[in-house]
Amino acid sequence: MKKWTDEFSYDLRNPSDEEQVLNSMQPHHSLSSLSITSFSGRKFPSWLGEPSFSSMVQVELSNCHQITSLPPLGRLKSLKKLSIKGSSRVKEVGVEFYEDDSCFSCLEMLEIVNMGKWKQWAWSNGLGEDSVVKFPKLHELRLHNCPKLVGKLPNFLPSLEKLVINNCPLLVELPKVLPSLTALSIRSCRGPILKSLINSTSLTSLKHLQIIECLELASLVDGEEELLPCSLEVLEVDMCPNLKELPSGLKDLKSLKDLRISQCRSLVSFPAGGLPHNLICLSLQNCGALESLPEGIVSHSKYSSDTSHLEKLRISGCKSLRSSSNGKFPDFLKTLEIHNWTTQLLNSLYYGLSHLTDLQIWNCPQLESFPGKELPIPSLISLKIAGCEALRSLSNHMQNLQSLQQLEIGNCPRLELFPEMGLRNPKHVSFEIHRCKNLKSLPNQMQSLTSLQSINMSDCGAAIECSIECLPPNLTMLSMGACLNLKQPMLEWGLHRLTSLRKLGIGSMKSSGDIISFPDDDGFLLPTSLTHLFIAGFKNLKSISMGIQKLTSLEKLEIWRCTKLQSFPAEGFPATLECLCIDNCPLLRDHCLKEKGGHYWPIISHIPRVVIRN
């Protein structure tokens, strides 16, 4: 492998000197990979592209801004990967790049990026279609930020599987022969190339179509029906602000499994007939004018929602969306993610959803209590509520969620209360709560949740207490940070009784403010089962005590932002310790560095991984 880089000052560079040096550096003919970056010469060396480099499989030419023409890389008969970036003075990629029709016979990936002046891709030598370079093994072609590139792409790309075109607005047509293409991404392009996509008859294998930031796009089918490839499995349309309609033949795309529409602010409705029944995932985001969901997504019958197989639904930022109060979601729905829903839309949660396993509720400003009534979702495993500023309580109806395993609540500043009877969910494994500053207590009877293994709390609580009486007995992970009003001394938490605890994180707690030495010398504060201990923001901590030796299973110790910490125990750390990380503990840093003659270096040098940083 040979690599030319820009690791020297531009002020000292001379184009002629660089040309001479690179030309004299002719590598061995067995070279397999070549990278030339920020070469300031005006032409590449004469040896680049010689057929004698029969083993060269990869070439990268990057940011060679003075170059005006490319070398004859088509002569490299074994070349598989070619990347050309930032050759900003190249205006034409001509037939001298190819040499003859047998060139690039092994090329599998071609990437051309940031070619600001490139106008013409002369892929034909002018002798007719039979002389066109065919790139017989090209699997992937990427064109990024070539704003002046005009005309057409090479016609015959029989093996191409992935095509990405980004900010090439003057391109007018896709290749005519693309029988193997499965993935196509078009971004920041204009109407002609989009029309060539719609009218193409060669995209018989296309499965994934992505259209992004095409400002002129008003319709996917230009008034015609069923012209999108019937093989499509994923269709993604994003940031097309003038898109007003989707094809009426959308419902007939029998292979379509995933449909994502986002930031299409002019889209008002879906075509009559709805979506394919085989659709599995539907995502609608930030379509502000959208007034209704597709037919069949919400049924107004007491019976099943037609025959929809939809399993995942995400609706976010569609502020004009309306729904009746008794709408029913598809029976097969397993994941539902909702953002900015009104109370009327939220009422849809209480109908159907018998197979739902994952429910996420984000930024619903009218939600004050949840669930508002009995929630018939017996299979729900994961519930996340975030950014609901009016939410004050979780109701006793939570107990009906008997399959619930994960509960996460975040950024609900008015939340005060959990259900009075606690969280009686026998399968509960994980509990997370963040940025709920008015929370008055943890849920009642948490000690009865014998399956609960993980509790993660941060920036919570007006007057929360923490003791062994309220913590589940089988916890394996406990993390508490920035719960500044938790005043109960850490010695009273009873952590040493949590005999299954393996990971403990404590950060910026009011109860840690009086701690000068940690842990206690006798080793009674923490359970010996710990393998990972993280502490942060102990503002008066001065020393790590010899009690750390009692943690005979400890593998990782992290200490962050303890600005007064200055000493380690003379006895050192447990022999099991594999990683020690000290971050922003300025009084300790130099004592731990070998090059500073730190007197703690001898007791930490045996630890496989030591990280000391400010």
Side-chain angles (χ1 to χ4, degrees), residues 77-88:
K77 302 302 182 182
S78 299
L79 191 63
K80 293 184 177 182
K81 183 176 181 180
L82 174 58
S83 177
I84 303 170
K85 301 178 182 179
S87 295
S88 53

Side-chain angles (χ1 to χ4, degrees), residues 260-306:
R260 311 169 201 169
I261 310 290
S262 61
Q263 301 187 76
C264 296
R265 64 191 182 198
S266 299
L267 183 66
V268 176
S269 63
F270 281 81
L275 302 176
H277 293 318
N278 291 327
L279 192 72
I280 294 176
C281 301
L282 173 62
S283 177
L284 305 173
Q285 298 184 65
N286 300 317
C287 298
L290 186 66
E291 296 179 352
S292 61
L293 293 173
E295 289 180 19
I297 298 302
V298 176
S299 169
H300 305 297
S301 167
K302 65 180 180 179
Y303 302 107
S304 172
S305 299
D306 204 345

Side-chain angles (χ1 to χ4, degrees), residues 324-345:
S324 65
S325 60
N326 61 348
K328 182 176 181 292
F329 285 105
D331 286 340
F332 288 96
L333 199 64
K334 294 180 179 179
T335 299
L336 177 59
E337 185 175 338
I338 56 182
H339 298 234
N340 306 104
W341 274 28
T342 63
T343 299
Q344 184 185 36
L345 284 168

Side-chain angles (χ1 to χ4, degrees), residues 414-560:
R414 296 186 182 182
L415 180 65
E416 297 180 354
L417 301 172
F418 284 97
E420 183 179 352
M421 59 182 61
L423 299 174
R424 296 189 175 183
N425 313 103
K427 299 180 180 180
H428 206 156
V429 174
S430 173
F431 174 72
E432 292 192 31
I433 184 163
H434 308 283
R435 299 183 300 283
C436 297
K437 296 184 178 182
N438 282 313
L439 186 65
K440 293 181 178 179
S441 67
L442 293 175
N444 293 327
Q445 306 297 319
M446 287 192 76
Q447 69 274 14
S448 65
L449 298 176
T450 55
S451 60
L452 192 60
Q453 297 179 17
S454 174
I455 294 179
N456 192 335
M457 296 178 55
S458 66
D459 198 12
C460 290
I464 293 178
E465 291 189 359
C466 179
S467 67
I468 190 63
E469 286 76 20
C470 72
L471 292 177
N474 297 319
L475 273 185
T476 60
M477 196 283 281
L478 175 62
S479 177
M480 303 183 74
C483 297
L484 299 179
N485 290 314
L486 200 159
K487 300 175 182 179
Q488 189 178 21
M490 204 176 301
L491 285 171
E492 297 179 12
W493 291 9
L495 293 174
H496 66 284
R497 299 180 188 175
L498 299 175
T499 55
S500 298
L501 196 65
R502 295 177 60 81
K503 184 174 181 178
L504 174 63
I506 304 172
S508 301
M509 307 286 283
K510 190 167 186 177
S511 55
S512 66
D514 297 331
I515 295 178
I516 297 175
S517 180
F518 183 86
D520 60 315
D521 286 340
D522 297 325
F524 293 147
L525 177 64
L526 304 177
T528 58
S529 56
L530 281 183
T531 60
H532 185 178
L533 174 60
F534 172 88
I535 62 173
F538 282 39
K539 61 182 180 180
N540 290 311
L541 182 66
K542 294 183 177 180
S543 66
I544 300 298
S545 76
M546 63 180 182
I548 199 76
Q549 282 280 350
K550 301 294 180 67
L551 302 180
T552 53
S553 300
L554 194 64
E555 297 174 359
K556 186 173 184 178
L557 174 61
E558 296 184 83
I559 306 172
W560 289 23

